[in-house]
Amino acid sequence: QVQLVESGGGLAQTGGSLRLSCAATGRTFSTRGMAWFRQAPGAERDLVAAISWSGDSTYFADSVKGRFTISRSNAKNTVAVYLQMNSLEPENTAVYYCGAGKIALRVVPTQQGGEYDGWGQGTQVTVSS
């Protein structure tokens, strides 16, 4: 059974930091790119950051470049993916979801949201002004 579990969200002040974690179990996630998406109320789910299966290639949305970093640790049965969010802004308020790439061994993580699945329940991030 595919399972992604996000955690680490909460309330932060503008300029503060949060670190999100995603635990992925139940599939060969170690060979798949992983990504973080966010969905604000009334908005679509948008890609925030992605990382290749090897960790060698990353992607960041323009709005978070220089402030967010993505990393991962690969184990046989569990993959952990992290999103370090610094210099938070109220516009970063959203539910954050972790997604797993559908296709294995991509050198560069895809930016196509439809190429990710396995969504967890998400973790709420709220940034106060």
Side-chain angles (χ1 to χ4, degrees), residues 4-113:
L4 299 177
V5 179
E6 302 94 339
S7 62
L11 177 64
Q13 293 184 336
T14 297
S17 298
L18 286 172
R19 187 188 193 215
L20 306 184
S21 299
C22 171
T25 59
R27 196 168 69 181
T28 312
F29 289 109
S30 60
T31 61
R32 298 177 186 273
M34 302 291 292
W36 283 97
F37 291 75
R38 66 186 176 197
Q39 187 168 22
E44 295 183 351
R45 187 176 298 180
D46 294 327
L47 177 64
V48 176
I51 187 167
S52 63
W53 70 276
S54 66
D56 291 339
S57 180
T58 58
Y59 163 83
F60 295 96
D62 288 342
S63 61
V64 305
K65 282 181 181 177
R67 299 188 296 119
F68 290 14
T69 59
I70 187 171
S71 59
R72 66 185 293 160
S73 62
N74 287 345
K76 182 177 181 180
N77 296 316
T78 302
V79 169
V81 185
Y82 306 99
L83 185 68
Q84 178 67 43
M85 306 187 295
N86 298 327
S87 301
L88 284 165
E89 303 168 347
E91 292 75 19
N92 301 134
T93 295
V95 178
Y96 284 71
Y97 298 90
C98 176
K102 294 180 181 178
I103 298 176
L105 302 177
R106 283 184 185 269
V107 174
V108 177
T110 178
Q111 299 174 30
Q112 300 299 317

